[in-house]
Amino acid sequence: MSGHGSTTNGTWDGVGPPKCAPNPSILSLAPNLTWVPAAEPLHRDINVNITFGVGPGISFANSVLAKDLSVGMVGLVPCALGGSNISSWGQGSFFYDRLVSRARATVQGGGKIQAKLWYQGESDLELQEDAELYMGQPSKFFQDLRCDLESPSLLIIHVALASAQGHFLEQVRGAQLGLDLENVKCVDAQGLELEPDNLHLTTRAEVQLGMILADSFL
């Protein structure tokens, strides 16, 4: 979710596409749990010490607002860490606990959690043990998250990988596409344009993915 769009040699180049432009109706939850205007790169203060760039988040929010004026205001809660595998997100882990605490803060401030967007898995493609662990973990992760947020029917939209490399790509994609939980939707990123590394989405593809996620959400 943190994205690699608009980066050069692993560094943010400072240029974001129009679909990711700031919008006064889109806020982002800062590390200190205050709302600030959302701007690219969305994960710059969350995904520290890891390459970050344009992801699908702000494109998603702009697309939602463009298609449904009744939404009014969108608050994004960035929590991603690029390069993390699914086992890093188990209940009780640092990343999981940070996600839950940040989500809870939005409710305490008067917000309402409408959906969880989840795009992860490239780090589970190379080793057989990681791919095998992946099989049941997204389902447990989603159910644990719903329980801890006291939202048993929370809409979850997750992404099936677009990556063109990885020894266990089809195994992981199969688990993503085959996940069967109520009110959990899967959008397939396969076919979106990839960077030369055949792993990460290009800037244009990140924007497209945001628009696809918005359509699924609406």
Side-chain angles (χ1 to χ4, degrees):
M1 283 295 296
S2 57
H4 278 233
S6 294
T7 58
T8 302
N9 296 324
T11 302
W12 165 245
D13 63 17
V15 181
K19 286 284 188 180
C20 298
N23 182 326
S25 294
I26 304 175
L27 301 178
S28 174
L29 193 71
N32 65 358
L33 306 183
T34 61
W35 290 109
V36 298
E40 296 289 5
L42 186 63
H43 282 79
R44 61 190 177 278
D45 296 321
I46 299 296
N47 196 41
V48 294
N49 300 322
I50 304 290
T51 298
F52 53 74
V54 168
I58 294 181
S59 169
F60 162 82
N62 271 320
S63 297
V64 167
L65 291 170
K67 295 182 178 183
D68 188 352
L69 295 177
S70 68
V71 172
M73 180 76 72
V74 174
L76 299 173
V77 186
C79 296
L81 183 79
S84 57
N85 57 27
I86 190 67
S87 61
S88 301
W89 291 87
Q91 193 175 37
S93 68
F94 171 80
F95 301 132
Y96 180 92
D97 289 347
R98 182 178 66 172
L99 186 163
V100 171
S101 66
R102 287 174 59 74
R104 285 174 175 167
T106 70
V107 177
Q108 294 166 357
K112 180 180 179 181
I113 302 174
Q114 298 280 20
K116 163 67 179 168
L117 307 181
W118 180 251
Y119 182 16
Q120 180 277 335
E122 288 93 343
S123 296
D124 296 292
L125 300 180
E126 290 300 325
L127 300 178
Q128 183 174 357
E129 60 183 301
D130 289 338
E132 289 176 350
L133 280 173
Y134 194 94
M135 295 302 100
Q137 295 231 12
S139 177
K140 184 178 187 309
F141 168 63
F142 294 155
Q143 293 181 86
D144 287 342
L145 187 61
R146 283 173 162 176
C147 180
D148 287 332
L149 294 180
E150 300 179 357
S151 182
S153 59
L154 174 66
L155 171 63
I156 296 173
I157 308 173
H158 68 116
V159 181
L161 297 179
S163 174
Q165 70 174 30
H167 295 101
F168 299 96
L169 173 62
E170 292 309 316
Q171 191 171 344
V172 171
R173 273 182 49 82
Q176 293 171 331
L177 292 167
L179 186 61
D180 185 18
L181 286 175
E182 185 177 357
N183 216 30
V184 172
K185 300 181 178 184
C186 181
V187 301
D188 194 350
Q190 192 170 70
L192 293 179
E193 186 179 51
L194 295 171
E195 295 281 5
D197 63 7
N198 280 326
L199 184 66
H200 298 104
L201 296 179
T202 63
T203 305
R204 181 171 63 177
E206 294 282 10
V207 171
Q208 288 177 301
L209 179 59
M211 297 168 69
I212 293 169
L213 288 167
D215 287 341
S216 181
F217 171 77
L218 292 171

